Amino acid sequence: MTGHGFRHPDVVISGIGMVTPAGADTATAWETACAGRPTAAADPRLSGLGVTFSCAVTGFDRQEVFGSDSRRMDPFAQFAVAAARAAVADAAPADGSWDPARVGVVLGTAVGGQGTWEEQGQRLRDKGPRTVNPLTVPKAIGNIAAGSVAMDLGLHGPSLTLSTACAAGTTALGFALDLLRSGRCDVVLAGGTEAAVTPLVTTAFDRLKALSRRCEDPSAASRPFDEHRDGFVVGEGAAVLVLERVESAEARGRIPYARLLGYGASSDAHHLTSPDPDGRYAELALHEALQDAGVAASDVSLVNAHATSTPQGDAVEARMIERVFGRGAAVTSTKGVTGHMLGAAGAVEAAFAALSIRDSVIPPTANFRTPGADIADIDIVHSAPRHVALPVAVSNSFGFGGHNAVVVLGRA
């Protein structure tokens, strides 16, 4: 029985597709994460700005994947469609086994097609209104990532885009879980996508003093929980997970990565950009997720932390983790490798948590060398991957505006 006193259908992750700075496919991304290999590097798109580096997707040839259609899609939609195709191929449904009217798409994003807005705005200013692309709006609006996935794969269930800032990927997984539990869908492709490495977005974060300014040493810039952390690195990419009931996966012999056991969400209602200083409402979301999953804090052996490498955010989250788990759960942040992928981060990190459960390995927190003096006493995995059985893991995500979202995953 669950904490709410009724039994939910078991929902599993049967396919994963990833396009990330750590790799343009799931296997490469997972290998890079487990190696703790940072991907931040100088980015020519940011030349001349205050921050000149990012965690960019490499090894992804948009022209090769989409041909001439690439001109009709913003990169955030391209990442989503490529990840969704890979996720479905990984889940390997038999022909005709999924009713397209019963397959949904739920994606999260923070800024949508921002690159298109900036490019077309520049055209308008420089060359006048007749040079603006008439497809600007359909390329850039936030819902078009989910819409593009549905069109590309011929899916006719609900297609939704949720925007809860940097919690959006996790919020999408939670909403998808509800669609499956309610019986509205048989399968949901859920995840997050972002292509926010643009001059305006990067400069705006820099003006907020949210970014690391280690332009001379980008690979050491994202350092979650470390004493010398000074801000996050903007990343880009997407992850899409195939969620379905365990019976349908098992019927075709598919061995799932993990079970999606529970979801919790809350709002700080505190500040535009800063978290509640005590982490009370992040903790509320975590407890709600554990209750929804029907597990106790003592059952959890891994926390994939939000931990972006910002001074305040990491300290607040570490104190919250200490209160709930003490040193009973290992903690990692993969943002030392991928940077902060904003609305895609939660989906990427849930995918990493599922792979951790499958492989019984925890990726190290890249660039963590000296524990922050303000970081609570928690068990941070660093220096090398840790090999240990992981029955239950949680993945935290928090966003501007005080959005908190947590998912709980378990062994399939």
Side-chain angles (χ1 to χ4, degrees):
M1 302 290 286
T2 73
H4 292 306
F6 58 90
R7 182 173 292 280
H8 292 307
D10 285 341
V11 172
V12 298
I13 300 168
S14 61
I16 297 176
M18 303 175 79
V19 180
T20 78
D25 63 86
T26 301
T28 304
W30 183 227
E31 178 185 356
T32 305
C34 289
R37 193 162 49 242
T39 62
D43 190 324
R45 292 173 293 181
L46 307 178
S47 179
L49 303 179
V51 170
T52 57
F53 60 96
S54 74
C55 287
V57 169
T58 60
F60 176 66
D61 188 331
R62 299 167 190 182
Q63 184 67 30
E64 180 178 315
V65 174
F66 296 108
S68 60
D69 285 345
S70 65
R71 296 195 299 271
R72 303 166 62 89
M73 302 168 68
D74 184 274
F76 95 113
Q78 295 173 1
F79 293 149
V81 172
R85 287 179 182 178
V88 171
D90 187 36
D95 288 345
S97 63
W98 290 353
D99 177 356
R102 301 277 302 165
V103 181
V105 182
V106 185
L107 297 181
T109 189
V111 301
Q114 178 64 29
T116 295
W117 291 122
E118 290 183 35
E119 178 189 13
Q120 297 304 314
Q122 190 68 45
R123 282 185 179 222
L124 177 63
R125 287 189 294 274
D126 292 347
K127 300 179 180 178
R130 293 185 65 81
T131 67
V132 173
N133 187 336
L135 293 179
T136 296
V137 172
K139 280 181 66 176
I141 50 178
N143 72 300
I144 206 62
S148 295
V149 169
M151 285 185 278
D152 187 74
L153 297 173
L155 306 176
H156 301 291
S159 60
L160 309 169
T161 301
L162 305 177
S163 187
T164 52
C166 301
T170 300
T171 305
L173 294 176
F175 196 89
L177 184 62
D178 286 344
L179 285 176
L180 289 160
R181 285 172 169 176
S182 70
R184 290 182 179 274
C185 290
D186 295 333
V187 179
V188 181
L189 311 188
T193 186
E194 206 73 82
V197 184
T198 73
L200 180 57
V201 171
T202 303
T203 300
F205 277 130
D206 186 31
R207 293 282 294 154
L208 267 177
K209 302 186 185 306
L211 300 185
S212 171
R213 293 181 65 91
R214 286 191 173 84
C215 298
E216 76 290 353
D217 188 13
S219 66
S222 181
R223 45 178 63 195
F225 298 125
D226 187 84
E227 173 73 9
H228 302 294
R229 67 192 186 278
D230 67 337
F232 68 82
V233 178
V234 181
E236 63 183 1
V240 174
L241 283 61
V242 175
L243 305 179
E244 60 183 312
R245 297 183 191 87
V246 65
E247 296 83 0
S248 66
E250 289 179 346
R252 63 180 189 278
R254 178 65 182 159
I255 299 174
Y257 290 91
R259 294 178 190 244
L260 183 56
L261 298 173
Y263 166 69
S266 68
S267 300
D268 282 353
H270 168 69
H271 190 271
L272 199 62
T273 57
S274 297
D276 177 273
D278 298 321
R280 290 171 293 175
Y281 301 102
E283 185 175 338
L284 175 65
L286 173 58
H287 283 303
E288 182 177 293
L290 294 174
Q291 183 182 33
D292 188 41
V295 302
S298 57
D299 296 325
V300 175
S301 45
L302 167 64
V303 177
N304 192 315
H306 182 67
T308 62
S309 183
T310 58
Q312 184 184 20
D314 288 16
V316 170
E317 185 177 12
R319 289 196 297 271
M320 185 268 285
I321 291 170
E322 183 189 41
R323 286 197 301 273
V324 177
F325 301 107
R327 291 184 61 86
V331 180
T332 191
S333 169
T334 47
K335 290 188 176 76
V337 172
T338 64
H340 188 5
M341 299 168 66
L342 309 183
V348 170
E349 289 155 17
F352 283 152
L355 291 163
S356 281
I357 290 171
R358 183 196 66 175
D359 295 349
S360 299
V361 60
I362 303 171
T365 302
N367 291 323
F368 177 85
R369 299 187 180 94
T370 306
D374 56 347
I375 295 299
D377 183 22
I378 56 177
D379 178 16
I380 298 171
V381 178
H382 62 94
S383 305
R386 183 181 298 178
H387 297 270
V388 59
L390 298 165
V392 180
V394 303
S395 186
N396 296 335
S397 293
F398 313 122
F400 280 176
H403 300 290
N404 306 307
V406 180
V407 288
V408 181
L409 295 85
R411 187 173 292 282

